[in-house]
Amino acid sequence: MQEYVIELSKYFIAFFMVLYTASCFYTFRYPVGEKHRGVFILQDLLMFLVQVLCFLNLSLVSGDFQYLFFFAFILIFLFATITMVSLIYENINRLLLNNMCMLLTISFIMLTRISYQKSIRQFIIVAVSLIIGLFIPFLVSKLKFLKHLTWIYGMVGVFALLVVAVLGSVTHGSKISYSINGFTFQPSEFVKILFVFFIAGLLTESKSLGQVVISAVAAAAHVIILVFSKDLGSAVIFFAGYLIMVFIATKNYFYLFAGILGGAGASIVAYHMFSHVRTRVIAFLHPWSNINDSGYQITQSLFAIGTGGWFGLGIDQGDPTSIPYVEQDFIFSAVAEEMGVIFGICLILVCVSCFIVFMKIAMQLKEDFYRYIA
């Protein structure tokens, strides 16, 4: 009986995820109203069913029913989050809220399957973050002076990056984080937000050539520190974010094309300057030629996706830990291996639906400062 439950649940999980994904895009057909309420209730139900089946499978396969207790905590917390946020903020975008909880659901399922202890630690981090997040919309709406702290955002961001550049630990050739009492912090993730506020503030004040030059110098300071730390992935994200914000603010195609050419040139220079960049480029272009060396991680992830097929091997039936750093860099491969390619495609489409909502919200904002941030 147990084998039948495990085998059939794969198809139900994929089916429920397809329904959830379809409901995301269905909401775009109509303006917000009563029709959406039923869709969001359906999404909550589908989210619950996916969690139940995945954690039940995990318990049946492992024979350890502590996973069901952990599932109960996750379920109560996520649905409490949906309820509380919806009550506190009546105009909250429920699709974004539901998608956030669905993505957290999937992450908890896979992380629990890979490492129960890491999943518990992640649950604590998420719980604290969501509690803090409850107050952020209220604070942003009340603290009108936020748009006037432009240079403070810039100085705090640069200082945080400098601390990592000097005191951070080296990970695979890059200084990207430091640890306190077992918790690892990657300041660039927080500085990204400060950086966006900083550039938005500068471009709100003026869109003149002089102001664009000032913003370019300020952005370059962030990027140069990241390059000095050899955190080139974050440097690219900062640069791309800056370029897009400048283009949206000025509508000047010269800035866009000049930035693209400059970025391409910088990429070539970085390729020749840093050995770990060359290693990653070679692994990306020729993973099969370096299958036992630089291409090992990529090839193992591709094997995992291919092994999973359309419906996956089933929760706890694959071997995601064969991929180095799977819980950090290649979690999608673990999802595709055990939940299937259909589930993986739906996961991507859920992210696409979030992006569409982000753009709609940004276009509806009246104030330049908040529109640039969005």
Side-chain angles (χ1 to χ4, degrees):
M1 183 64 183
Q2 177 175 314
E3 290 76 10
Y4 289 114
V5 172
I6 294 171
E7 184 64 24
L8 287 174
S9 64
K10 296 191 306 184
Y11 305 102
F12 281 107
I13 290 170
F15 176 67
F16 293 148
M17 190 62 182
V18 169
L19 284 182
Y20 181 92
T21 306
S23 68
C24 291
F25 290 91
Y26 178 82
T27 61
F28 299 139
R29 293 187 59 188
Y30 306 101
V32 177
E34 286 300 314
K35 286 189 176 181
H36 284 192
R37 177 180 292 184
V39 174
F40 296 141
I41 293 174
L42 173 63
Q43 287 186 332
D44 293 340
L45 176 61
L46 293 170
M47 196 187 312
F48 166 74
L49 291 172
V50 169
Q51 285 187 77
V52 168
L53 289 177
C54 288
F55 277 99
L56 179 61
N57 271 2
L58 198 55
S59 296
L60 289 175
V61 173
S62 65
D64 190 347
F65 287 89
Q66 69 175 338
Y67 293 127
L68 292 180
F69 290 103
F70 186 49
F71 154 69
F73 279 108
I74 295 173
L75 183 67
I76 292 170
F77 180 75
L78 290 180
F79 279 95
T81 298
I82 292 173
T83 303
M84 289 179 63
V85 173
S86 299
L87 288 174
I88 296 172
Y89 302 106
E90 295 181 358
N91 295 322
I92 190 74
N93 189 294
R94 271 298 302 275
L95 179 59
L96 278 185
L97 183 61
N98 281 0
N99 283 355
M100 178 190 75
C101 290
M102 176 55 108
L103 294 173
L104 284 173
T105 292
I106 297 166
S107 69
F108 279 128
I109 290 167
M110 290 313 304
L111 192 55
T112 303
R113 180 264 178 269
I114 294 169
S115 171
Y116 183 60
Q117 294 303 318
K118 288 182 179 179
S119 189
I120 291 175
R121 187 174 70 168
Q122 191 70 13
F123 177 77
I124 296 170
I125 294 171
V126 168
V128 173
S129 300
L130 288 179
I131 291 171
I132 295 172
L134 276 176
F135 299 96
I136 290 178
F138 173 78
L139 292 175
V140 170
S141 66
K142 297 298 181 183
L143 303 179
K144 300 298 183 182
F145 61 85
L146 290 176
K147 65 179 71 175
H148 303 301
L149 302 179
T150 303
W151 287 101
I152 293 178
Y153 299 135
M155 288 186 291
V156 172
V158 167
F159 176 77
L161 294 179
L162 281 172
V163 169
V164 178
V166 176
L167 302 177
S169 56
V170 178
T171 304
H172 301 293
S174 306
K175 283 187 177 182
I176 59 176
S177 61
Y178 57 86
S179 299
I180 300 176
N181 294 327
F183 286 89
T184 300
F185 297 89
Q186 192 169 337
S188 63
E189 298 297 332
F190 300 99
V191 177
K192 285 175 188 174
I193 300 172
L194 292 174
F195 180 74
V196 167
F197 274 66
F198 176 45
I199 300 301
L202 287 176
L203 296 176
T204 300
E205 292 174 6
S206 172
K207 301 172 186 61
S208 64
L209 176 61
Q211 189 76 340
V212 170
V213 171
I214 292 172
S215 68
V217 172
H222 288 75
V223 172
I224 289 171
I225 295 171
L226 289 167
V227 171
F228 177 75
S229 303
K230 298 183 180 180
D231 185 5
L232 302 184
S234 294
V236 170
I237 293 173
F238 275 69
F239 174 75
Y242 167 73
L243 192 60
I244 291 169
M245 290 179 72
V246 168
F247 175 68
I248 289 173
T250 64
K251 306 294 190 298
N252 190 318
Y253 283 92
F254 172 77
Y255 295 149
L256 180 63
F257 291 123
I260 291 173
L261 288 175
S267 298
I268 295 172
V269 172
Y271 176 83
H272 291 286
M273 282 185 62
F274 302 111
S275 59
H276 71 287
V277 173
R278 291 195 294 275
T279 299
R280 293 178 183 183
V281 171
I282 292 171
F284 175 75
L285 294 176
H286 309 288
W288 306 106
S289 301
N290 302 274
I291 192 170
N292 293 318
D293 189 20
S294 59
Y296 183 79
Q297 188 182 38
I298 292 178
T299 52
Q300 288 300 117
S301 69
L302 294 174
F303 285 140
I305 294 171
T307 303
W310 290 111
F311 295 96
L313 298 176
I315 300 296
D316 210 16
Q317 299 291 308
D319 186 23
T321 53
S322 64
I323 307 170
Y325 304 100
V326 63
E327 75 280 5
Q328 298 175 21
D329 300 335
F330 280 80
I331 195 68
F332 179 82
S333 298
V335 171
E337 181 182 25
E338 300 204 337
M339 296 186 180
V341 171
I342 291 176
F343 194 99
I345 292 171
C346 289
L347 184 59
I348 294 171
L349 290 175
V350 168
C351 293
V352 170
S353 72
C354 288
F355 177 77
I356 293 172
V357 175
F358 295 156
M359 293 299 100
K360 289 178 67 176
I361 291 172
M363 295 300 292
Q364 291 168 357
L365 291 171
K366 298 293 189 293
E367 294 187 44
D368 286 346
F369 179 72
Y370 297 110
R371 185 163 65 251
Y372 299 155
I373 288 172

